[in-house]
Amino acid sequence: MKLSRKYLLAAAAGALLASPALAAERGADGQVNILYWQAPSTQNPYLSGGTKDIESSSLVLEPLANYDPAGEMLPTLAVEIPTLDNGGVSEDLTSITWKLKQGVVWSDGTPFTAADVVFSAEYCLHPEGGCNATPKFADVTSVEAIDDHTVKITFGVAKPFPYGPFVGNDSPIIQKAQFESCIGAKAPECTTENFGPIGTGPFMVKDFKANDTIQYVMNETYREEGKPHFSSVLFKGGGDAAAAARSVLETGEFDYAWNLQVEPEILSQMESAGKGKVIAAFGPSVERLMINKTNPDPALGDERGTVKHPHPFLTDAKVVRALSLAIEREILVEAGYGAAGKVTCNVLPAPNAYASTNNDWCKTQDVEQAKALLDEAGWNDTDGDGVREKDGVKLSVIYQTSTNSVRQGTQALIKQMWAEIGVETELKNISASVFFGGDQSSPDTFQKFFADIEMYTNNFNGTDPEAYMGSWTCKQIPSPENQWVANNMPRYCNAEYDALVAKYAITAEPAERQAIAKKLNDMLMEDGAIVPLIHRGRVAAHSNALGGVDMTAWDSEIHNIENWYRVK
Amino acid sequence: MFRYTIRRLLFAIPTLLVISFIIFALLDLAPGDPTSQLPINIPAEVRQKIREALGLGEPFYVRYGLWMQQFFVNEPLNILEQWFGVTIGDSENRLRVLSWSTRSPVVDLIVERMPQTLWVVGMAYVVGIAIALPVGVISAYRQYSIFDQAGTFITMIGFSIPPFFSGVLVIVIFSVNLGWFPSIYDTTHVVTDWDSFLKQINQMILPVMVLALQITAQLTRFMRASMLDNLNQDYVRTARAKGMSEQAVVLLHVLRNSMIPVITVIALAVPSIFGGAIITEQIFKVNGIGALLIGGIEAGDLPLVQTLTFIFAVLIVLFNLVADILYGILDPRIRYD
Amino acid sequence: MTEQVTARAVAGGEAAEMGAHRSLWRDVWLQYRTHTGAVVGTFVFLFIVLGVIIGPFFHTTDPTYIDYRAKNTLHMFSCFYFSVPEAVENAGAWTTWSCFTDPAGFAELTAKRVKVSWTHPLGTDNYGRDTLAQLMAGGRVSLAVGVTAMALSIVLGALIGVLSGFFRWLDGPLMRLTDLFLALPILPLLLVMIMLFRETLRAAFGPEEGIFILVVSAIGITSWMQTARIVRGDVLSIKEREFVLAARSIGTRQHRIIGRHIFPNVLSPVMVSATLGLASAIITESALSFLGLGFPSDFPTWGRLLIDGRDFMDITPSRVIWPGLAISLTVLSVNYMGDGLRDALDPRIRGR
C-alpha cells in the first residue's frame, strides 16, 4: 500500500517538532481560530460565491483526490490516483475509473458509497442548478457506479487530462441522502442543507452564520485515528487583509489568517512582533497587463472595442515590447508583493514543467532598448511635450484595474516608468464588484475593456492549463454579439494560435503537451497580447502556537487541517 | 393631531410603494453582478448560467412583482406561521425572499444579525446621547467657559477624524500595545452570567467608543447651538424676572424649546441604528446589519440589498412621523391640521 | 392700506437711520473681530488656504513623482524623538542638531533606522512620493470638494427645509422626497451616477474636472436631508411665534417674512450643519476614492492620504499625522469662524 504523501509529510513534521504523538487522543488540542477576511456565505461549494466558501467547506466535504503543495495529486476518498499505467484511465482516454476507500462513513454514521459520487455529478450537471463547478465536468457524458466502491466517469471526447471531476475541493462529494430533494431549481432553497452539509471530512458544522462566523466540531467518525487534533474550529470572517494579519501577528487573537495581500513592509513590521509567521505558496496566478488589440475610442459608439476597429498602436508588437521592457518588475515585486511575488515573463509560469524561458528578456528593465524600439516603429516626440506621436496620434494610454491599494501602487509605478520612454498614461480604477461583474449595462467591466490596457490576476484550476490556454482563441473574443460573454480580453486573434490549441486538445503525450503549452505562451508574448508582470503567490499567516500548516496554492490552502496541532 | 397621524400613516403606504419601486429600479440599474466574487477562472458561459438560475433572465417588472409578492405576502405569512405554529396554505412551496450570495432567507439573516447591531450601534447611540445632551446644555449655558472650549475642541477633533482612521488607531493603542481589549468582536459570544456580561462589555468598548465619538460630536453641536438661540429669548428673561429658579428656567423652559433640532437628529439616527455602521462594523468585524448591507452591495445581491433598504425606508418614514408628532408635543403652537 | 404704508415707512426709516450712522455689516465685522476664537480660526483657515495654493511654488516636488529609493522616509521632526542605537552612539559625537544639518549622514549613522532628508521634509510614502507635496496638492482638492459640496448641501437643505416648513402645501411632497433620499442606498446610487455620467463629464470637462463635478454633486445631493429636516422643524416652530404673526398682520409679503424673520432665526442650526458638513464632505470624498468611486488613484486628497497611511501608522507616522492634522485644523477653524459669525449676526448679543 502506498502511504499518502500528505500523511508522511505530517508525520515527518510531527517527529521533527516533537509534536503530538500519533496515538494522541482525537481533539486533544482544543480550539483553533481561523480568520478569513472575506466571510463564507455558504457551505455548499457548488453554489459558492468564491474561494472563501470552497476553502471553509473543505473542513467538512472531501473530494476523491486533492492537490499537494507541489501540485501533485493525492488520493483522499479514493484508494489511488487512476492512471494509464495502473489501468484506471482507459487506453482511448475517454474514461476514468476511481476506486473508493472502504469503510469511510459520513458524519451521520451512514456508509459512503459510489452512489454518493454519482449523485454529486448529477447535482452539479443539472441544467437548472446554477452549479459553478460545471467547467470541471466538461465533456462528461456519464458517471456510473460499477459497484459500491468503484465509479466510472466517461467523457464524450478523448481527455488527455481526465482529472476534472472530484479532484480538488471545488468539486467534493456531497451526501446523496441529504441533498436528494435539493437538486436542480430546488438547490438554492435548501438553506439547512447548504449551510450544514454532512461530510466525510475531519469536522462538522455546528453553527453557521452566513457571512459572519462558522463553528465546527470534530467529526467523531473521521477515518484517521487520533485526528483531527483540534476538537473545534472557530471560522470568523470580516474586516480587511491588514486587520486580519494584525490579529494573528500582533494581537495573537487568531491562529491563521488567509489571503494577506498587504504591502510587504507592513507584514514584516507585524511579523517582528514575534507572535506568528507569514507563509506563501505559489500556484499559477499571474498579475498581467492585458493589451487591447481593438480601439476603445468612445467616438466609435457601438463598435467600440470590437475587432472592426484595430487599435491605432497597440497592435504593433514592437510598441508592446517597448512597454514591457520599460517596466522594472523587481520594483513592482518589492513595493507591492514582497515574499508573495516573483518576477515573471510568462502568462503560464507554473507548474514548472510548463514554464517557458524564451521570454526572459523582460526580467531586466532596458529603457534604452525600449526607446530604440519605439524610434524604430516610427514613434517620435516631435512637439517636445515628452509624449511620442506618429501621424497625429499620441502614444497615450488609458490603464485600468480594480480598486485595491497594491494595484494602485503598481499603476503609479508603471505610469512613471512609461513616462520615461515617452508614453503618457491615464489611470483609472474601478470597484472590483463592477470590474469583475458581468453587468451588461456597465461600460467598466473587464470583459468590455473600454480602455487600452487593463491589469488583473488570473489562474486556472488544477494543474492542467489546456482550458486556460484556450482562452485566447479568435472565437473567445468578447463582442456585442455574444453579450461580451467570452474570455479573450486582449481580442487576440491568430490562426496559427487557434490551430495549435486544437492540436493541444488531441495530444496525450505529457512532454508534447508541455511543449505545446510553452509555445502557446510564447506566441502570446511575442505578439504582445499579454504583458505578464508578477507571478503571485498566496500569502497567509499562522501563529507560532499552530503547527502542521502545509499551505498549497493548487487546492484549498487549509486542506490538511486534520494534521494541525497546538505547539506546546 | 390624531387625525393628522392617521392621515400620515395612510399616506405612508403609497409613499413606501413608490420608494420601493425607485430603490428596485436603482439597484437594477446599478452595475454590479452576483457572479463578480466567483473565482476569476470560472468561464463567462458558466457565469451566464448562474445568472439565469438566479432569475436574472426575467424582465425587470417580473422580478419586481416577484419581490413584492415574496416580501408583502409570503414573508408575513411565514412570520404568522412561526408565531402561531400553524400552516397556512401551501407553505412548502411558498418562496421567501432569498439572498443570492447565501441562498438563504434574507429575513433570517437580518434576525441573525440584529443582536450585535443592537448591542454595538444601539449602545453607541445611547452613550452618545447620554453624553451629548448634558455637555451641550452646559456648554451653551457657560458659553466660552473652559468647559465649553474644551468640549468644542474635543468634539470637533472627534468629528473630523473619520472612523476608518480612529478605529485602526484605537486598535493599535488598546489591542496591540496595551492588550486591554480584543480587536475582533466575537459574535458567537452569549451572555449568560456576570462574567460573560463583563466579556461582552469588554469586547464592545472599542467599537462603541469610536462610534459614540461621532454621534456625541454631532449632537453636542446641535444642542449647544439651539440652547444658545433660546437662552437670549425674551421668555427666559420673563421667567427669571418672575423669580423662577435658574435650574427650572434652563431645564424646563429653555431645554424644552431647544429640543426640536435635537429630536430631528435623534429621529434620523434611530433608523440608522438598524442600518448599522458600515465602516466601524468592518474594522472590528462586528458583522452586523451594516456589514450585511455592504457585503450585499459588493456581491451584487439584489434581493438582500432591496429588502434591507426597504426596511430601512419604512423605519425612516415611521421615525420622521414620530419626530413630527414630538414637535407638536414640545411646542403646542405647531399645528398640522 | 394705511397700515401697510406706515409699516413700510417705519421700516424704511429704520434702514435710513442705520445707514446714516453705521452699516449692518460693519457692525457685524466689529463684533466678529472681538471673538478671539473666530479671529484665530480665520487666520488658521487663511494660512491653510494660502499654504495649499502658494506652497507648491516654494516646494516644487511633483506630488505624483515616485522617488523609489527614498521610500518610507520619516519627517524631519523624527530627529527629536529618535535616538542612535547604543553601539553607534559610542563611536562618535551625535546631537539632534546633526540630524538636521546632515540627515544623510545621520541616516547612515543609525543604520537607516532614521531615514530623513530635507528633500522630503515631511517624509514620503511607501513608493517614495513626497508627503508635503501630496499634502498641498491634496489640500486644494479636498478644500474645493469640501467647501463646494458643503455649500451645495446647505443651500439645498436650507431651501427645502424653509419651503416645506413655511408652506403647508409643499410640506408633504418635499418631506416625502426627503424620506426617499434618506432611504436610497448611497453606494448603488453613486455607482449609477458614475456609470451614467462619468464618460459624458469626462468628455465635456476633462478627466479631473469631470470627476470633480461628479464627486461634488454626488456628495451634495446625498447629504442635504438632515439639514432640511432640522431647518423645517425649527421653521414649523418659528412661524407660529408672535413676531411672525406681527409681520403677517401688517401684511408683509411671504418672501420678506422668510428672508427677514424666519431665515435669520434658523441660521444657527444651518451654521452647525455647515461646519459638520465640511468635515463629512472631506471624509466622504476619501471614502469614495477608497471604494474606487472618486478621483483617480494618482490624485491625492487629504482623506485618501489618511486612508492609505493608516496601516503605515507604525512605520511612517508622518503619513497620518499631517493629513489628519490638516483635516482637523480646517474643520476646527471653520467651526470657530461659524461660532463667531453666529454671535456677530445675533443682534441680541451684538449690542452687549
Side-chain angles (χ1 to χ4, degrees):
Chain A
M1 202 194 104
K2 206 171 80 182
L3 258 180
S4 92
R5 191 165 151 198
K6 186 154 99 177
Y7 196 86
L8 280 175
L9 274 176
L16 211 68
L17 293 166
S19 82
L22 281 171
E25 205 180 321
R26 170 175 291 161
D29 285 354
Q31 176 169 297
V32 61
N33 297 324
I34 301 177
L35 183 65
Y36 270 44
W37 52 271
Q38 285 176 358
S41 42
T42 176
Q43 284 294 279
N44 182 348
Y46 289 121
L47 301 177
S48 86
T51 321
K52 59 204 170 76
D53 306 311
I54 294 167
E55 303 208 342
S56 59
S57 66
S58 76
L59 270 58
V60 176
L61 298 172
E62 294 176 309
L64 296 180
N66 282 101
Y67 289 102
D68 74 355
E72 279 166 36
M73 276 175 276
L74 296 171
T76 307
L77 288 173
V79 175
E80 58 179 2
I81 303 294
T83 57
L84 271 171
D85 295 340
N86 65 21
V89 177
S90 69
E91 286 296 330
D92 62 354
L93 305 172
T94 56
S95 74
I96 179 167
T97 307
W98 291 89
K99 287 205 166 33
L100 311 183
K101 277 184 185 152
Q102 303 277 343
V104 175
V105 290
W106 294 99
S107 58
D108 62 357
T110 57
F112 159 75
T113 66
D116 294 309
V117 181
V118 173
F119 173 77
S120 301
E122 274 169 31
Y123 181 87
C124 187
L125 288 170
H126 195 288
E128 284 164 40
C131 168
N132 65 23
T134 45
K136 299 207 74 160
F137 290 88
D139 303 320
V140 171
T141 50
S142 78
V143 178
E144 53 200 317
I146 306 286
D147 60 45
D148 261 6
H149 290 94
T150 314
V151 177
K152 184 180 175 197
I153 301 171
T154 315
F155 300 93
V157 296
K159 274 268 165 189
F161 187 84
Y163 308 105
F166 309 121
V167 181
N169 276 110
D170 42 357
S171 59
I173 316 295
I174 52 176
Q175 195 194 28
K176 182 179 181 187
Q178 189 187 20
F179 280 90
E180 213 159 12
S181 59
C182 297
I183 205 158
K186 280 273 178 197
E189 292 166 38
C190 290
T191 310
T192 329
E193 288 79 4
N194 293 337
F195 281 4
I198 293 170
T200 54
F203 291 95
M204 302 186 291
V205 179
K206 180 183 160 208
D207 180 37
F208 182 86
K209 291 185 173 187
N211 294 336
D212 178 18
T213 314
I214 316 169
Q215 285 172 289
Y216 298 94
V217 289
M218 64 182 169
N219 175 4
E220 291 288 357
T221 65
Y222 186 60
R223 60 184 176 279
E224 283 185 58
E225 199 59 39
K227 287 182 181 175
H229 300 303
F230 287 105
S231 62
S232 61
V233 179
L234 179 76
F235 202 103
K236 171 93 180 171
D240 57 55
R246 182 174 290 122
S247 69
V248 171
L249 299 171
E250 286 195 318
T251 66
E253 289 163 271
F254 274 72
D255 294 306
Y256 187 89
W258 157 90
N259 191 7
L260 305 178
Q261 206 197 358
V262 186
E263 284 81 355
E265 51 264 67
I266 298 180
L267 277 185
S268 52
Q269 158 92 11
M270 287 177 176
E271 210 174 1
S272 67
K275 290 197 169 156
K277 278 194 275 298
V278 176
I279 48 175
F282 286 82
S285 293
V286 174
E287 181 89 359
R288 79 284 300 279
L289 299 178
M290 290 296 193
I291 309 294
N292 199 342
K293 296 288 179 188
T294 62
N295 194 344
D297 188 350
L300 296 171
D302 285 345
E303 296 188 346
R304 178 180 194 195
T306 65
V307 284
K308 281 179 200 145
H309 302 277
H311 197 277
F313 50 85
L314 291 176
T315 43
D316 185 347
K318 273 186 191 151
V319 174
V320 180
R321 195 183 172 106
L323 292 178
S324 181
L325 275 170
I327 299 170
E328 190 171 0
R329 289 170 173 77
E330 285 293 345
I331 284 190
L332 302 184
V333 170
E334 192 193 312
Y337 296 85
K342 296 180 205 162
V343 167
T344 188
C345 294
N346 295 309
V347 74
L348 179 61
N352 267 337
Y354 287 92
S356 165
T357 48
N358 290 337
N359 311 302
D360 287 354
W361 50 263
C362 92
K363 282 192 175 167
T364 37
Q365 183 192 35
D366 191 338
V367 176
E368 287 319 308
Q369 203 193 332
K371 284 180 179 163
L373 275 169
L374 288 178
D375 290 339
E376 201 182 314
W379 292 89
N380 292 299
D381 182 16
T382 42
D383 54 7
D385 62 350
V387 184
R388 291 171 189 258
E389 58 268 306
K390 178 169 135 183
D391 309 328
V393 182
K394 269 188 181 290
L395 206 49
S396 165
V397 292
I398 295 183
Y399 170 15
Q400 71 181 16
T401 188
S402 71
T403 307
N404 162 323
S405 70
V406 173
R407 289 218 165 107
Q408 267 72 81
T410 306
Q411 271 188 315
L413 284 165
I414 291 184
K415 178 180 177 170
Q416 185 161 323
M417 292 167 185
W418 283 347
E420 250 174 82
I421 59 164
V423 177
E424 183 186 56
T425 315
E426 182 189 321
L427 304 183
K428 189 169 159 189
N429 61 316
I430 300 150
S431 160
S433 64
V434 177
F435 188 62
F436 295 120
D439 197 304
Q440 300 291 326
S441 55
S442 168
D444 289 328
T445 63
F446 77 127
Q447 288 107 336
K448 282 196 181 169
F449 196 178
F450 289 161
D452 301 295
I453 289 171
E454 66 182 3
M455 177 171 75
Y456 59 90
T457 290
N458 201 347
N459 56 25
F460 53 93
N461 261 324
T463 51
D464 182 72
E466 187 187 320
Y468 178 63
M469 297 313 286
S471 307
W472 297 290
T473 53
C474 301
K475 70 173 195 313
Q476 283 286 352
I477 293 177
S479 67
E481 287 74 41
N482 58 20
Q483 282 81 45
W484 308 96
V485 177
N487 305 309
N488 183 356
M489 306 315 163
R491 288 100 162 104
Y492 171 69
C493 189
N494 180 345
E496 214 179 312
Y497 187 90
D498 287 14
L500 202 53
V501 167
K503 188 178 166 206
Y504 192 9
I506 52 167
T507 307
E509 217 281 304
E512 208 174 325
R513 285 175 70 78
Q514 286 158 11
I516 294 177
K518 280 187 195 174
K519 179 79 182 106
L520 289 171
N521 172 70
D522 293 349
M523 284 171 82
L524 291 170
M525 306 304 107
E526 277 154 24
D527 294 340
I530 298 174
V531 175
L533 298 174
I534 294 145
H535 182 191
R536 281 179 59 186
R538 292 195 189 180
V539 209
H542 68 84
S543 78
N544 290 336
L546 181 68
V549 176
D550 182 27
M551 189 186 177
T552 169
W554 303 96
D555 207 331
S556 165
E557 63 183 56
I558 50 175
H559 66 114
N560 72 331
I561 190 159
E562 71 274 13
N563 295 330
W564 289 13
Y565 58 87
R566 183 64 66 202
V567 176
K568 294 193 175 95
Chain B
M1 191 58 88
F2 181 70
R3 271 185 53 208
Y4 172 75
T5 312
I6 295 296
R7 209 180 65 217
R8 274 283 296 270
L9 280 176
L10 287 179
F11 197 65
I13 295 170
T15 312
L16 283 170
L17 284 179
V18 172
I19 290 181
S20 85
F21 180 79
I22 294 179
I23 295 174
F24 198 90
L26 178 79
L27 292 177
D28 190 63
L29 193 62
D33 186 82
T35 66
S36 65
Q37 289 191 332
L38 291 181
I40 190 175
N41 56 35
I42 289 183
E45 312 81 62
V46 178
R47 287 167 194 267
Q48 195 58 31
K49 279 263 168 56
I50 295 171
R51 267 179 227 128
E52 279 159 20
L54 292 172
L56 264 172
E58 303 286 334
F60 171 77
Y61 57 89
V62 174
R63 285 181 286 129
Y64 179 60
L66 197 67
W67 178 82
M68 295 261 282
Q69 196 216 343
Q70 288 171 349
F71 187 81
F72 291 108
V73 182
N74 298 0
E75 285 294 344
L77 281 177
N78 184 63
I79 292 171
L80 286 179
E81 283 184 3
Q82 284 194 346
W83 280 357
F84 300 108
V86 293
T87 313
I88 308 167
D90 181 16
S91 65
E92 271 296 295
N93 292 314
R94 194 187 299 128
L95 258 187
R96 303 178 62 189
V97 186
L98 288 186
S99 141
W100 283 346
S101 61
T102 67
R103 322 276 179 134
S104 68
V106 170
V107 176
D108 294 358
L109 287 176
I110 297 174
V111 171
E112 195 172 277
R113 275 153 186 261
M114 279 318 281
Q116 54 258 41
T117 301
L118 289 182
W119 270 113
V120 173
V121 188
M123 187 55 72
Y125 274 94
V126 171
V127 170
I129 292 170
I131 298 176
L133 297 191
V135 171
V137 170
I138 301 173
S139 293
Y141 190 69
R142 302 238 175 274
Q143 198 190 4
Y144 301 132
S145 65
I146 304 256
F147 183 87
D148 177 32
Q149 299 286 14
T152 304
F153 194 77
I154 293 167
T155 51
M156 290 318 285
I157 295 268
F159 194 79
S160 60
I161 294 178
F164 61 72
F165 177 66
S166 53
V168 177
L169 185 70
V170 295
I171 285 182
V172 167
I173 296 175
F174 294 106
S175 298
V176 176
N177 290 330
L178 296 172
W180 289 355
F181 308 111
S183 71
I184 293 171
Y185 186 92
D186 179 6
T187 46
T188 58
H189 181 70
V190 188
V191 177
T192 48
D193 52 12
W194 181 247
D195 281 345
S196 61
F197 178 72
L198 285 185
K199 187 181 173 230
Q200 174 66 17
I201 298 291
N202 188 41
Q203 68 170 344
M204 274 167 56
I205 286 182
L206 291 187
V208 167
M209 188 161 97
V210 167
L211 272 176
L213 187 65
Q214 300 272 310
I215 300 157
T216 314
Q218 203 187 8
L219 266 181
T220 316
R221 301 315 295 163
F222 280 113
M223 188 75 240
R224 176 180 178 273
S226 186
M227 285 288 288
L228 281 178
D229 273 354
N230 277 288
L231 275 170
N232 292 315
Q233 298 284 351
D234 297 336
Y235 72 84
V236 180
R237 207 179 308 143
T238 316
R240 281 192 182 128
K242 69 179 192 188
M244 278 180 96
S245 78
E246 194 61 17
Q247 217 179 352
V249 171
V250 175
L251 294 184
L252 282 181
H253 294 270
V254 184
L255 184 60
R256 180 174 173 164
N257 279 299
S258 311
M259 282 304 276
I260 284 181
V262 180
I263 286 291
T264 316
V265 177
I266 295 178
L268 288 179
V270 175
S272 48
I273 294 178
F274 171 81
I278 291 175
I279 294 174
T280 314
E281 281 189 10
Q282 199 210 18
I283 289 177
F284 295 96
K285 295 156 215 72
V286 176
N287 295 340
I289 306 267
L292 188 65
L293 181 67
I294 188 84
I297 291 172
E298 278 169 3
D301 192 345
L302 205 143
L304 174 70
V305 180
Q306 166 76 10
T307 308
L308 266 179
T309 317
F310 184 70
I311 296 177
F312 193 51
V314 173
L315 289 175
I316 286 170
V317 170
L318 208 65
F319 278 92
N320 279 346
L321 173 61
V322 170
D324 282 351
I325 294 169
L326 282 177
Y327 294 165
I329 294 171
L330 286 171
D331 187 345
R333 279 173 303 193
I334 296 179
R335 282 159 319 194
Y336 298 105
D337 295 311
Chain C
M1 272 306 128
T2 9
E3 266 173 17
Q4 264 183 18
V5 174
T6 2
R8 221 176 268 160
V10 170
E14 228 172 57
E17 195 185 355
M18 281 176 109
H21 298 290
R22 43 191 196 165
S23 85
L24 172 72
W25 292 109
R26 193 179 146 73
D27 253 20
V28 169
W29 170 238
L30 287 174
Q31 172 67 24
Y32 186 81
R33 271 198 335 200
T34 62
H35 191 294
T36 327
V39 174
V40 175
T42 314
F43 273 109
V44 171
F45 189 72
L46 283 179
F47 173 76
I48 293 173
V49 171
L50 286 180
V52 300
I53 294 173
I54 300 175
F57 291 105
F58 297 99
H59 184 76
T60 48
T61 311
D62 178 353
T64 61
Y65 180 77
I66 296 173
D67 181 2
Y68 190 73
R69 267 176 307 175
K71 72 172 189 164
N72 294 331
T73 304
L74 301 171
H75 55 175
M76 291 306 289
F77 292 86
S78 24
C79 288
F80 289 115
Y81 55 78
F82 268 105
S83 61
V84 180
E86 286 297 313
V88 188
E89 196 168 19
N90 298 337
W94 166 84
T95 57
T96 305
W97 186 244
S98 68
C99 172
F100 285 106
T101 50
D102 179 21
F106 187 78
E108 282 303 312
L109 200 65
T110 57
K112 297 263 174 177
R113 257 188 46 194
V114 187
K115 191 169 166 187
V116 284
S117 148
W118 278 114
T119 328
H120 306 290
L122 295 188
T124 59
D125 67 8
N126 59 320
Y127 291 99
R129 285 174 291 209
D130 185 78
T131 303
L132 178 58
Q134 288 199 303
L135 208 58
M136 293 186 301
R140 284 198 296 273
V141 184
S142 282
L143 284 176
V145 169
V147 172
T148 326
M150 175 263 277
L152 185 65
S153 106
I154 290 302
V155 168
L156 259 177
L159 186 74
I160 290 178
V162 168
L163 289 182
S164 72
F166 194 78
F167 299 105
R168 189 166 294 160
W169 58 275
L170 274 175
D171 189 29
L174 284 179
M175 279 303 109
R176 299 300 80 76
L177 182 77
T178 314
D179 286 346
L180 170 67
F181 267 87
L182 279 168
L184 281 184
I186 308 249
L187 227 54
L189 180 70
L190 288 166
L191 283 172
V192 170
M193 282 179 68
I194 285 177
M195 183 181 83
L196 295 180
F197 306 121
R198 175 149 76 184
E199 283 295 316
T200 335
L201 287 172
R202 185 177 173 276
F205 301 97
E208 280 153 29
E209 291 77 7
I211 206 84
F212 179 82
I213 295 171
L214 198 66
V215 168
V216 163
S217 37
I219 298 172
I221 68 163
T222 52
S223 59
W224 54 268
M225 293 82 75
Q226 195 186 32
T227 316
R229 292 261 342 157
I230 291 168
V231 168
R232 167 180 169 272
D234 260 2
V235 171
L236 282 176
S237 161
I238 289 163
K239 77 170 177 189
E240 306 294 342
R241 295 249 177 102
E242 292 80 1
F243 63 89
V244 179
L245 281 180
R248 258 189 227 280
S249 66
I250 57 173
T252 317
R253 290 213 200 95
Q254 286 184 325
H255 64 94
R256 296 274 299 171
I257 297 185
I258 293 177
R260 284 204 70 118
H261 300 287
I262 305 268
F263 190 68
N265 278 293
V266 296
L267 206 59
S268 83
V270 169
M271 219 57 119
V272 175
S273 293
T275 325
L276 297 176
L278 179 74
S280 347
I282 292 178
I283 292 159
T284 310
E285 181 283 313
S286 60
L288 294 187
S289 326
F290 182 62
L291 294 167
L293 302 175
F295 291 96
S297 57
D298 53 345
F299 210 83
T301 66
W302 284 345
R304 197 170 172 84
L305 292 176
L306 199 55
I307 286 185
D308 288 347
R310 66 172 185 175
D311 288 328
F312 288 85
M313 222 181 292
D314 286 332
I315 302 169
T316 41
S318 49
R319 284 182 66 181
V320 290
I321 294 174
W322 295 104
L325 205 63
I327 298 177
S328 295
L329 278 180
T330 308
V331 173
L332 267 178
S333 62
V334 170
N335 174 62
Y336 282 112
M337 283 158 68
D339 266 6
L341 200 60
R342 199 198 71 91
D343 284 2
L345 286 174
D346 188 342
R348 284 178 295 254
I349 295 181
R350 197 161 62 234
R352 293 202 301 226

